[in-house]
Amino acid sequence: MKLTRRSFLKASAATGALAALSGGVMSFERWAAKAAETGDVKLVPSICEMCGTKCGIIVKVKNGRVVKIEGNKEHPNGKGKICARGNAGMKLLYDPDRLKQPLKKEGDKFVPISWEQAFKEIGEKLKEIKAKYGPEALVWSTHPELAYDYEVIFNLAFGSPNLTSHAPTCYSPRNVAYKAMYGEVPTVDYGNVKYYISCGRNLVEGINVSQVLGIMKAKEKGAKLIALDPRYSNFAALASEWVPIRPGTDLAFLLAMIHLIIKNEWYDKEFVKNYTIGFEEVAAEVEKYTPKWAEEITGIPAATIERITEEFAKAKPAAVVDPGWHVSRYMNSTEMLRAGAVINALMGNLGMKGGLKFPKYKFTKVEEREGLWPKLEKPKAKRFDGAGGEKWPLAKGLGMIQMLPEHILSGQPYPIKAYIANHHNPVRSAGNSEKWIEALKQLELVVVIDVQMSETAMMAHYVLPESTYLERFDPPQIAGNAVALRQPAVEPLHNTMGVDDIIKELAHEAGIGQYFNFTLEQFSDQMLKPFNITFKQLMEKGVIALDDGKTEYKVPEIKTDSGKIELASGAFEKAGAKRVPTWKPPGVTEGNGKLRFLHGHTAVHTHTSTFNNEYLHALMPENVLWINTRTAEKLGIKNGDLVEVKSDYGKVTIKAKVTEAIHPDAVYMVHGFGGFSPYQKKAYKKGASTSFIIPCHVEPVSGAAADCEVLVEVRKVGGGANA
Amino acid sequence: MPKYAMVIDMTKCAACQACTVACEAEWGLPPGEKFTRLEEREIGKFPNVRREFLLIQCQHCDKAPCIEVCPTGATYKREDGIVLLDDKRCAGCKYCMVACPYQARVINHEKGVPEKCRFCYHRVEQGKKPACVSTCIGEARYFGDLEDPNDEIHRIIHQKQAKPLRGDLGTKPSIYYVR
Amino acid sequence: MAWGIIIAIYLFLAGAGAGAFLIAVMTERSGINKENEALVKAGTILAAPLVAIGTLFLVLDLTWVEAGKFEPWRIFYLYTHFTSMITWGTWILTLFMPVSFVYGWMKLKNPYYTNNALRCAGAVLAFATSVYTGVLLGVVKAVPFWNNAVIPMLFVVSALVTGMATAILGSFVFGGKTLPDFFKPLHTWLAVIELLLLFFLLMIAANGPEAARQSAEMIISGKYSLYFWGVLVFLGIIVPGVIGATASPKAGKGIKALDALLVLAGGFTLRALILLAAVPVTLMN
Amino acid sequence: MEHNRVEIYRLLAYTLSEPDLELYRWLKSDGAKAFGELGVNLGELPGLPELSRQYQEYFGLYAPKVSLIESVYRKWSSDPEVDPVMANSRGFLMSDHALHVAALYEKAGLSIPEEFSGMPDHLVLELEFMAMLVENNHPGQRDFLVDHLSFIEQVVEKSREENIMGIYREIVEFLGKFYQEEKNLLLGKQG
């Protein structure tokens, strides 16, 4: 046989070294025993990225391999504890199906290409699009992580105003409300609250480990926890009281609370006088919002509202309405957040023990840092989605990514030709998957940066594989009273890169290389300079505390124009709302066989990203549709039946969970399931994806996705396992 | 000789399953095999409904039905109160699974024996807490030594009025519940 | 529940084998003759193989067998722990099998052979076997449906009925034609007692704790109701009971075989239902 | 079979690597002939795009029907310091077996090509390495066959389960047969 061919294993040094392989090395068992015994072990302090919370971890590495992940007690996030997802990190790192090298779409399939070729081709294309359509033809979306500053620099340098986060599908209403009224976004002093009201904030299914620890501590000390939720969530099970409110009406409940607090003078007069403006306007507005009025709307008895409000007010200042996280649910969500912000102000809880608090430390904004790159100019064009413009002044910086397909398809206000998604999967997380797919097909350039082949990546021309959080550096993090660093525990397993380097290389090929003539270390040192800490020091320690951790309870500086909490604010008037929070009904009304579609997190999965993780998949392989017993009975649905859930935008099939624990007018499912990327074998088509049901639309004040403003019809399509 | 006991405060349980996972990780259990399980029930009709959770695992009973019914003596109790199974002696008759009121045993299909929670005796011997206790993100679990009068477990049981699960069955469990 | 159909087969075969031996001994005591010698032969010789096959099913159900770990010596540990009913059962079965086999072998060679010691020992062990299959479940506090004295009694009665059916079917092989006179009243009485015991069992369960109520519900009106009312009560007890009470001892083989087969089907259904309807004690109360 | 064992290992390594134009041309002429000499009829060779598609679907880098990476078939680690749930897992990269293979390459002065980074225990590399051992008449052949190449049995089994068709079916079947012959050759003599 004569064979001409390549061979893969190449001699790196002198050949003929096979002789060096003695019996002891050749035998796997003997080698493994020796390696287990003599291997070098190191502990690398780093930061988890199985969700966005960024808890501290300690990664144990042996023989160049991660062998265990544990919590880092020194890190304020998690305080040494990690959740189920954090435990599952190794299964992501060593998953044989994750992205291994840059891919380019040719025809209907992806072929591996080199990084050089990928950068070069993408850079050329970006330059071409910029020359032809202007820099604003590029939209860049992201789930902002530690390297967000790099994305800011890239977009400003390129000249595109269209850097946009996942905010409108998450926290836009909260940020809009609190930034306008308080000057910045506060969080809760969970460990010390005495009376806590959650408007759908589900602390134990959307887990932030430190906050769970905090709320449990508070509960143990006797705090009263109230869960406003149409569904009896796991948090409701933990809470002192579940308020089974009609979906989308939390606003009415809160307005009635304000009415009662002002009427009965239960507010902190001193605080209101010294630290707020607009009290009189609020008082005038809420006069009509009686508990009786709220009862009609919310379905919660007036007496209950009165009792809760009185108990709540008595607990001030350690009485809090949680600003929340995923609040982009209804057309009135921003109003609801504003009402909550008013209540918090009336309790005088800002800066108090068990009240609201502002983050203690912050890095300076990247736009304000100087020296490492040329001055960054504001892009000339307006944003594609109008955020920050006349109609959406308050959505500035948050954007409306869910509307991207609409703008691509309409070509308004200008043509969009290129889209880059980093750590973001809007095809499944921003509603109406079908429309996203249709729109992305129109683009000349779609680039996705991710660790696995997401549904958005499936639509890309180029897929750039990011190293996992266990293989890369990121710029530093501030967590509570400490700074921390994500650093590689091991060398990248495959031909992947950190997102910082990906952006840097892209910039060089896209003709804006002069903005990225720095190393990550230089960049980080500049961020850390105000704290007198260096990147090198941080590498060594992983976490460095900035103070002794003791809290001084006092009202912080309020960074609004007036220097006070603005209970009434002209900013909202400019955005088309009233100066003070006011009643606005939700966007759609249940009835005539149409049910409200709700969705949310589970404690064991993150967004759309963890469903292929063997470990987490085994814990929860699919989702189910919660439907009230009475509703199910009317529809002839039994527990375990297969049902079709259909909205005006699409439909899915899923198993029904018939339960008393949900409002009869609503149905609910955990989001993130129903993946359709064949590259993710375990997750492929398991359960149902909410994204086929939810439309792409906007809440008028904050630009949020209002993703629970959708009605569905449910019908039985098949018998269940136990039928 | 210590006498180990655990308190599970269900009022602080986030139902997040971190304990289930940490336990699986600690013992390297095959997928699907769990030593701690989360039970759930619903009581009442909307809107007067309640959902309750209960974490169940081997209760390390002083009068363990599994030990009584085991025909081979493979299941035994250590002096420190931990109930263990000797894999090599187990004939796999599953009588223990049938007899355990807490349904705490699960079959390991690789080894062919019904396994269960071991109170992480290897960690306990090193002075550490069992994996489920250290991992609990709500700090709902406590572990201690009943023989040691200074152990906080006494205070916790007393203060929280923790009680064994189905004490009426006479099994004298070593896990106390706050519910 | 950890025990299912395989264990039901084990309990059923052990019961039928032991019952067949008891019936054969009773027949022998009533006076052995040309008419009934086939039945005595069949009843004694079938006992050991049936119990052995039943035990084989038990072994098949052992999890380490399922896991493919061939370590047969582990079976010997089964003899060692006397707080367990299984240890007692293992001893009883171990002794019953050779005793009944030897006695059956002798009877096969000469139906008029007799040995008082062997017969008494066999009868005691056969009775112990039938009781054991019930006590095994009866002592389990974790399953309120089982945890009573009715189950052992029910299993003894069922063992006798199925043993009788086994002996009848077996006797046909050895050329038997007629049945002893006492079979007719015994058959009827056993059917009546079995129905009464079933009634007691379900009454106790239906008025017992939550778990027992669920078990009773499953059997009376739930997912097993068709098997209970149709297969066990009607086809397995009432129909053969009526046949047994009305058919002449000299009736044709066909009708007797049908009677016996229905009884066996009922006997197996009884074991299976009791195992499948087991619900462990409620914990969330 | 009195064929050159080294050549067969190389032949298999080559044909189980990702097909490109060079491999395709070779398969069409010399490759088919070489297999023919070994008594294997590869059958109709589809066009290169189709062959690539088949390769990706069967053995590719992402969610293939049959993985050619040894680690995927092995228990991840027996090192007591490894997180037990990971240690006992199967289906992940960089198991103890991969580390061992990587160590062997390193000691032998061989470098792992970029396209195989994160998977030094890919069948293609292991077959090539075995060819070198055989070529040098290295005493470690037996260990390597038993400790590592034994996963070929699972590859063959999985390929049958997944109903792999066309030329790859023929190649895998031959791979399985050849492995058994090698096993007999290297182990049989002792037994």
Side-chain angles (χ1 to χ4, degrees):
Chain A
M1 286 183 288
K2 192 190 150 287
L3 310 175
T4 47
R5 59 182 170 236
R6 61 199 165 174
S7 72
F8 297 98
L9 278 174
K10 296 254 165 46
S12 55
T15 44
L18 278 185
L21 300 174
S22 62
V25 186
M26 278 309 296
S27 158
F28 169 70
E29 239 163 70
R30 265 182 282 170
W31 174 87
K34 203 173 150 210
E37 209 172 285
T38 59
D40 60 318
V41 173
K42 60 175 179 165
L43 297 173
V44 183
S46 188
I47 300 167
C48 185
E49 196 186 45
M50 292 301 288
C51 82
T53 313
K54 301 179 186 69
C55 294
I57 50 172
I58 298 209
V59 188
K60 189 169 170 188
V61 180
K62 186 173 176 185
N63 293 327
R65 211 170 42 159
V66 174
V67 297
K68 201 173 179 102
I69 301 174
E70 282 176 335
N72 184 356
K73 287 199 174 73
E74 309 290 315
H75 197 292
N77 291 2
K79 300 185 177 71
K81 295 188 182 280
I82 50 174
C83 71
R85 296 165 298 174
N87 265 305
M90 286 171 74
K91 301 239 165 178
L92 168 68
L93 176 60
Y94 296 111
D95 181 352
D97 291 340
R98 78 171 166 99
L99 290 169
K100 303 177 190 71
Q101 76 276 76
L103 297 171
K104 179 185 182 180
K105 191 177 258 166
E106 277 181 5
D108 60 348
K109 59 173 194 161
F110 288 100
V111 294
I113 56 170
S114 70
W115 278 106
E116 293 71 28
Q117 190 191 344
F119 289 137
K120 206 166 166 49
E121 290 182 15
I122 298 168
E124 288 301 323
K125 193 79 205 170
L126 281 174
K127 280 192 278 193
E128 185 194 314
I129 288 170
K130 185 176 179 175
K132 210 161 149 196
Y133 303 99
E136 64 274 18
L138 167 69
V139 173
W140 181 303
S141 84
T142 179
H143 186 283
E145 294 298 332
L146 294 168
Y148 182 65
D149 288 349
Y150 275 66
E151 298 175 285
V152 173
I153 300 173
F154 184 98
N155 280 276
L156 291 179
F158 191 76
S160 168
N162 294 326
L163 172 60
T164 182
S165 75
H166 75 301
T169 58
C170 191
Y171 50 72
S172 278
R174 179 196 65 185
N175 285 26
V176 160
Y178 279 93
K179 276 222 170 101
M181 294 168 67
Y182 282 60
E184 59 190 304
V185 182
T187 177
V188 177
D189 182 16
Y190 287 98
N192 295 307
V193 292
K194 288 192 179 136
Y195 208 107
Y196 169 88
I197 294 180
S198 145
C199 298
R201 171 85 204 270
N202 187 350
L203 274 166
V204 293
E205 285 178 281
I207 282 186
N208 173 319
V209 174
S210 317
Q211 296 183 357
V212 175
L213 277 168
I215 204 77
M216 293 296 182
K217 207 171 105 193
K219 193 184 170 196
E220 184 144 55
K221 288 191 282 188
K224 193 144 188 196
L225 316 177
I226 306 289
L228 260 62
D229 200 325
R231 181 180 74 103
Y232 199 113
S233 66
N234 287 9
F235 179 68
L238 184 90
S240 334
E241 192 169 338
W242 173 48
V243 180
I245 195 162
R246 169 176 296 283
T249 65
D250 297 19
L251 171 61
F253 189 99
L254 297 183
L255 288 172
M257 280 184 76
I258 303 176
H259 170 95
L260 286 166
I261 290 168
I262 292 180
K263 193 176 101 187
N264 295 304
E265 300 191 15
W266 285 334
Y267 55 93
D268 182 332
K269 290 186 187 126
E270 210 43 28
F271 185 91
V272 167
K273 196 175 100 204
N274 294 335
Y275 297 103
T276 74
I277 56 168
F279 177 80
E280 295 307 328
E281 282 177 72
V282 172
E285 174 69 25
V286 298
E287 218 167 309
K288 55 184 181 276
Y289 302 133
T290 62
K292 204 74 217 145
W293 165 86
E295 176 180 322
E296 293 284 305
I297 294 169
T298 59
I300 304 304
T304 306
I305 304 175
E306 279 161 17
R307 174 177 49 81
I308 289 176
T309 309
E310 184 169 6
E311 289 169 1
F312 178 79
K314 278 190 180 147
K316 71 176 175 290
V320 171
V321 177
D322 195 326
W325 273 98
H326 173 225
V327 285
S328 61
R329 292 196 180 94
Y330 304 102
M331 288 300 180
N332 61 16
S333 283
T334 304
E335 293 300 313
M336 191 268 278
L337 265 292
R338 292 173 69 192
V342 168
I343 294 176
N344 285 325
L346 295 179
M347 293 300 104
N349 66 23
L350 182 64
M352 295 299 120
K353 190 172 177 180
L356 292 180
K357 58 180 183 184
F358 290 143
K360 209 165 173 186
Y361 300 99
K362 269 183 174 177
F363 290 122
T364 48
K365 277 188 167 167
V366 62
E367 295 93 324
E368 290 157 15
R369 280 175 241 151
E370 276 171 11
L372 288 180
W373 50 82
K375 198 170 158 35
L376 296 165
E377 301 288 341
K378 223 175 141 235
K380 289 191 194 71
K382 295 256 190 308
R383 286 181 57 102
F384 78 96
D385 51 16
E390 230 168 75
K391 195 157 171 228
W392 312 95
L394 296 174
K396 187 180 164 208
L398 298 164
M400 287 166 261
I401 187 64
Q402 77 276 22
M403 299 311 285
L404 178 61
E406 185 79 46
H407 292 280
I408 292 174
L409 294 170
S410 71
Q412 295 300 324
Y414 45 73
I416 293 162
K417 295 293 171 187
Y419 171 57
I420 299 178
N422 170 33
H423 198 101
H424 193 207
N425 184 16
V427 167
R428 278 215 311 123
S429 64
N432 207 338
S433 293
E434 310 253 9
K435 195 166 184 179
W436 270 93
I437 291 169
E438 187 196 339
L440 292 184
K441 279 186 189 155
Q442 312 294 316
L443 296 180
E444 288 180 22
L445 177 68
V446 178
V447 179
V448 170
I449 304 166
D450 207 327
V451 295
Q452 55 190 351
M453 189 61 105
S454 69
E455 288 76 6
T456 307
M458 291 294 294
M459 301 307 302
H461 300 108
Y462 297 90
V463 180
L464 304 181
E466 189 190 6
S467 303
T468 65
Y469 69 100
L470 295 165
E471 307 165 298
R472 67 166 201 257
F473 275 113
D474 270 333
Q477 166 206 25
I478 284 186
N481 67 329
V483 286
L485 186 66
R486 175 174 292 142
Q487 52 184 333
V490 290
E491 290 281 305
L493 204 58
H494 305 292
N495 191 10
T496 59
M497 286 170 84
V499 73
D500 56 324
D501 283 333
I502 294 177
I503 293 171
K504 217 159 109 172
E505 295 302 324
L506 268 183
H508 281 287
E509 295 297 337
I512 47 174
Q514 69 274 27
Y515 289 87
F516 286 92
N517 281 328
F518 51 79
T519 63
L520 181 75
E521 180 170 351
Q522 291 168 326
F523 186 82
S524 304
D525 278 339
Q526 191 197 37
M527 289 170 86
L528 293 166
K529 210 168 173 193
F531 306 106
N532 282 322
I533 291 170
T534 65
F535 186 73
K536 284 230 162 63
Q537 288 170 326
L538 208 47
M539 266 179 77
E540 210 171 287
K541 299 221 170 91
V543 185
I544 296 176
L546 299 171
D547 59 41
D548 61 5
K550 287 207 184 80
T551 319
E552 193 193 338
Y553 290 108
K554 62 163 203 225
V555 181
E557 186 193 347
I558 297 163
K559 289 176 185 145
T560 54
D561 288 343
S562 59
K564 294 189 172 177
I565 297 174
E566 302 190 352
L567 303 180
S569 159
F572 292 104
E573 212 163 33
K574 286 196 195 108
K578 279 200 188 177
R579 285 172 53 82
V580 292
T582 179
W583 170 245
K584 224 187 114 186
V588 293
T589 317
E590 311 87 8
N592 291 331
K594 304 246 181 181
L595 301 165
R596 168 83 58 174
F597 180 72
L598 304 174
H599 60 98
H601 264 323
T602 166
V604 300
H605 282 293
T606 300
H607 300 310
T608 65
S609 70
T610 56
F611 296 83
N612 205 47
N613 189 300
E614 190 206 35
Y615 211 70
L616 303 173
H617 175 79
L619 271 181
M620 187 178 182
E622 60 176 19
N623 54 353
V624 291
L625 185 82
W626 291 47
I627 183 165
N628 183 281
T629 317
R630 263 171 283 168
T631 316
E633 214 169 278
K634 270 186 234 154
L635 297 166
I637 293 165
K638 289 201 187 65
N639 197 32
D641 279 352
L642 209 57
V643 295
E644 179 191 86
V645 186
K646 185 170 168 277
S647 76
D648 288 346
Y649 312 94
K651 59 186 180 189
V652 295
T653 311
I654 185 172
K655 269 192 215 130
K657 171 192 164 112
V658 175
T659 170
E660 290 288 347
I662 187 166
H663 198 285
D665 290 342
V667 290
Y668 165 90
M669 62 171 90
V670 169
H671 75 178
F673 285 94
F676 50 92
S677 163
Y679 287 66
Q680 298 187 31
K681 231 195 287 188
K682 282 182 278 288
Y684 188 61
K685 299 209 165 148
K686 298 276 166 58
S689 181
T690 53
S691 60
F692 287 103
I693 294 171
I694 297 167
C696 301
H697 56 198
V698 272
E699 182 239 289
V701 182
S702 70
D707 44 27
C708 292
E709 292 285 20
V710 57
L711 299 176
V712 292
E713 284 174 279
V714 180
R715 70 183 179 95
K716 180 174 166 168
V717 292
N722 33 354
Chain B
M1 183 51 69
K3 165 80 175 74
Y4 294 115
M6 188 182 279
V7 174
I8 305 180
D9 182 348
M10 289 311 300
T11 66
K12 287 174 76 190
C13 170
C16 72
Q17 304 198 62
C19 53
T20 310
V21 175
C23 169
E24 280 182 284
E26 188 67 33
W27 291 100
L29 303 181
E33 188 179 334
K34 296 181 175 77
F35 288 169
T36 68
R37 69 175 198 274
L38 185 69
E39 282 206 355
E40 189 188 331
R41 76 161 171 177
E42 235 177 71
I43 312 150
K45 298 250 171 239
F46 183 91
N48 299 311
V49 55
R50 253 184 319 143
R51 273 172 82 211
E52 281 180 357
F53 296 103
L54 188 59
L55 282 167
I56 295 166
Q57 65 203 69
C58 172
Q59 306 284 311
H60 298 276
C61 307
D62 284 350
K63 291 196 67 176
C66 58
I67 297 179
E68 195 174 299
V69 303
C70 177
T72 67
T75 298
Y76 63 100
K77 192 173 184 71
R78 307 201 323 177
E79 276 184 52
D80 57 10
I82 300 179
V83 174
L84 290 181
L85 173 77
D86 176 359
D87 288 357
K88 291 274 150 228
R89 209 179 159 84
C90 172
C93 70
K94 293 182 277 195
Y95 205 6
C96 53
M97 297 180 76
V98 170
C100 172
Y102 308 99
Q103 301 289 293
R105 297 222 181 200
V106 272
I107 293 182
N108 179 310
H109 291 283
E110 260 172 52
K111 290 192 240 163
V113 298
E115 302 192 308
K116 59 170 203 69
C117 154
R118 300 145 189 171
F119 258 10
C120 281
Y121 64 87
H122 62 303
R123 291 173 64 102
V124 172
E125 280 162 6
Q126 292 165 18
K128 291 198 275 192
K129 304 276 181 199
C132 58
V133 177
S134 350
T135 201
C136 178
I137 69 167
E139 296 187 329
R141 287 171 177 265
Y142 308 84
F143 187 81
D145 175 9
L146 288 178
E147 288 295 313
D148 176 359
N150 298 321
D151 196 314
E152 61 158 8
I153 196 93
H154 292 284
R155 182 182 59 77
I156 289 160
I157 292 176
H158 180 75
Q159 212 170 56
K160 296 185 177 241
Q161 299 185 8
K163 289 187 182 60
L165 199 56
R166 289 299 305 258
D168 58 316
L169 296 172
T171 51
K172 298 204 181 344
S174 299
I175 299 188
Y176 296 78
Y177 284 84
V178 185
R179 295 170 69 194
Chain C
M1 185 43 67
W3 284 348
I5 291 291
I6 295 183
I7 293 296
I9 296 173
Y10 159 62
L11 297 179
F12 166 68
L13 289 175
F21 192 87
L22 284 171
I23 290 291
V25 168
M26 283 158 81
T27 309
E28 191 190 352
R29 291 284 296 166
S30 74
I32 188 154
N33 54 38
K34 256 269 117 344
E35 299 281 281
N36 61 22
E37 63 173 67
L39 198 127
V40 173
K41 273 194 214 171
T44 48
I45 194 62
L46 281 175
L50 283 176
V51 173
I53 296 169
T55 310
L56 198 70
F57 275 97
L58 169 71
V59 172
L60 276 182
D61 198 53
L62 297 180
T63 48
W64 57 263
V65 174
E66 178 196 315
K69 296 234 179 333
F70 192 64
E71 295 179 2
W73 61 86
R74 288 204 205 174
I75 286 186
F76 294 104
Y77 295 131
L78 290 175
Y79 293 93
T80 61
H81 208 245
F82 284 91
T83 57
S84 171
M85 272 321 295
I86 288 189
T87 293
W88 286 95
T90 313
W91 278 106
I92 292 168
L93 294 176
T94 311
L95 296 173
F96 177 58
M97 277 187 275
V99 169
S100 61
F101 182 74
V102 169
Y103 198 62
W105 186 251
M106 299 312 286
K107 283 279 179 197
L108 199 59
K109 290 206 287 195
N110 172 16
Y112 299 94
Y113 165 87
T114 192
N115 177 326
N116 237 341
L118 215 49
R119 187 176 61 203
C120 284
V124 168
L125 288 167
F127 184 70
T129 301
S130 64
V131 174
Y132 148 72
T133 58
V135 177
L136 180 72
L137 306 184
V139 298
V140 175
K141 286 206 187 94
V143 180
F145 180 49
W146 295 348
N147 191 218
N148 54 57
V150 181
I151 293 244
M153 289 195 272
L154 188 57
F155 276 30
V156 170
V157 170
S158 176
L160 284 171
V161 186
T162 53
M164 191 191 283
T166 308
I168 292 171
L169 285 175
S171 76
F172 293 161
V173 178
F174 296 108
K177 286 197 182 75
T178 53
L179 303 179
D181 291 340
F182 74 91
F183 268 33
K184 199 167 158 174
L186 182 62
H187 195 339
T188 315
W189 276 113
L190 286 175
V192 172
I193 295 170
E194 192 175 356
L195 283 177
L196 275 174
L197 287 173
L198 268 177
F199 176 73
F200 289 146
L201 179 71
L202 292 169
M203 277 303 286
I204 295 170
N207 293 298
E210 172 64 23
R213 279 210 298 276
Q214 285 176 22
S215 297
E217 194 268 339
M218 262 189 243
I219 289 178
I220 297 169
S221 57
K223 60 178 171 179
Y224 299 126
S225 56
L226 191 68
Y227 295 97
F228 175 69
W229 293 109
V231 183
L232 174 54
V233 174
F234 184 69
L235 291 176
I237 303 177
I238 295 180
V239 172
V242 169
I243 296 175
T246 54
S248 127
K250 305 234 173 338
K253 274 189 191 176
I255 189 89
K256 284 182 206 151
L258 176 71
D259 178 359
L261 286 171
L262 286 175
V263 165
L264 291 178
F268 173 69
T269 307
L270 173 73
R271 304 309 204 284
L273 286 181
I274 286 177
L275 281 178
L276 294 176
V279 177
V281 290
T282 320
L283 297 175
M284 295 188 87
N285 60 347
Chain D
M1 179 162 64
E2 251 327 291
H3 290 289
N4 186 338
R5 291 170 57 217
V6 180
E7 283 301 309
I8 296 177
Y9 277 116
R10 294 234 160 95
L11 178 76
L12 283 168
Y14 191 34
T15 46
L16 285 170
S17 66
E18 171 117 30
D20 58 5
L21 194 58
E22 188 196 342
L23 169 57
Y24 184 75
R25 284 191 181 137
W26 172 84
L27 257 180
K28 251 194 142 135
S29 54
D30 290 354
K33 230 178 284 163
F35 274 102
E37 276 172 42
L38 295 164
V40 180
N41 178 8
L42 291 184
E44 184 87 23
L45 192 65
L48 176 57
E50 171 58 17
L51 190 70
S52 292
R53 196 199 58 76
Q54 281 180 11
Y55 186 88
Q56 287 307 331
E57 182 187 339
Y58 297 156
F59 313 124
L61 279 179
Y62 301 100
K65 286 191 164 165
V66 183
S67 178
L68 296 183
I69 303 165
E70 184 187 355
S71 280
V72 170
Y73 299 88
R74 303 289 188 193
K75 200 181 115 169
W76 203 65
S77 180
S78 54
D79 183 339
E81 278 189 86
V82 174
D83 185 342
V85 85
M86 194 65 195
N88 289 325
S89 292
R90 282 169 207 271
F92 293 91
L93 300 181
M94 295 307 274
S95 71
D96 286 355
H97 283 81
L99 294 197
H100 180 227
V101 173
L104 291 179
Y105 298 163
E106 199 195 329
K107 265 222 147 61
L110 299 165
S111 59
I112 300 160
E114 200 178 68
E115 61 262 50
F116 290 98
S117 78
M119 45 194 138
D121 53 347
H122 194 283
L123 183 60
V124 166
L125 300 186
E126 290 194 356
L127 289 171
E128 278 192 5
F129 185 67
M130 185 68 175
M132 290 181 204
L133 293 176
V134 176
E135 197 166 33
N136 288 279
N137 205 11
H138 194 281
Q141 299 173 46
R142 185 174 167 270
D143 277 344
F144 195 74
L145 186 92
V146 176
D147 292 344
H148 295 287
L149 291 177
S150 49
F151 85 99
I152 287 174
E153 287 184 349
Q154 281 154 283
V155 169
V156 175
E157 202 178 302
K158 190 88 204 293
S159 301
R160 289 179 188 157
E161 224 171 81
E162 294 284 349
N163 214 2
I164 278 184
M165 303 301 283
I167 92 157
Y168 285 115
R169 182 198 175 93
E170 302 301 328
I171 294 169
V172 167
E173 287 296 329
F174 177 70
L175 171 76
K177 215 174 91 203
F178 178 63
Y179 167 74
Q180 292 303 336
E181 280 167 15
E182 283 289 288
K183 207 163 111 182
N184 292 339
L185 180 74
L186 295 172
L187 300 178
K189 278 169 196 156
Q190 279 90 356

